[in-house]
Amino acid sequence: MERAVEGMYRERRNVFRQFATGLFTLLASVIFGGWLKMRSEPAMATTCVVLYGMWQIMSSGRRHLAGFRFDDSESVTFDDLLTWSTGTQAGDRGGGGDGE
């Protein structure tokens, strides 16, 4: 099961990357479509608005991803759970076994 969770965690990065690629490709097509359909002044304004939106999406995405990062040493494994459950007695809350 631990291997499956690790695989899903690695796959999560690919899914986010593909979503971001699709989103930025769509926004790039909006810019190109604007230049094909509009005169240069409104197309320039539209380009500036879309580029600002792209920058906002990138900066907030990086900020959110940084909040969800964790070190592997912070994660709990099944071995930790099994060791904890076999090493405790009824009424012991894991306080070290010295009666505290």
Side-chain angles (χ1 to χ4, degrees), residues 4 7 15 19 23 36 42 44 51-52 57 65 70 73 75 78 87 90-91 94:
V15 169
F19 176 76
L23 184 62
L36 291 174
M44 180 62 76
L51 288 176
Y52 177 73
I57 290 169
L65 283 177
F70 68 93
S73 65
S75 64
F78 285 115

Side-chain angles (χ1 to χ4, degrees), residues 60-82:
S60 68
R62 285 182 179 162
R63 187 177 64 245
H64 283 62
L65 283 177
F68 285 105
R69 284 196 187 118
F70 68 93
D71 190 16
D72 286 336
S73 65
E74 297 173 353
S75 64
V76 177
T77 64
F78 285 115
D79 294 335
D80 294 338
L81 296 174
L82 293 174

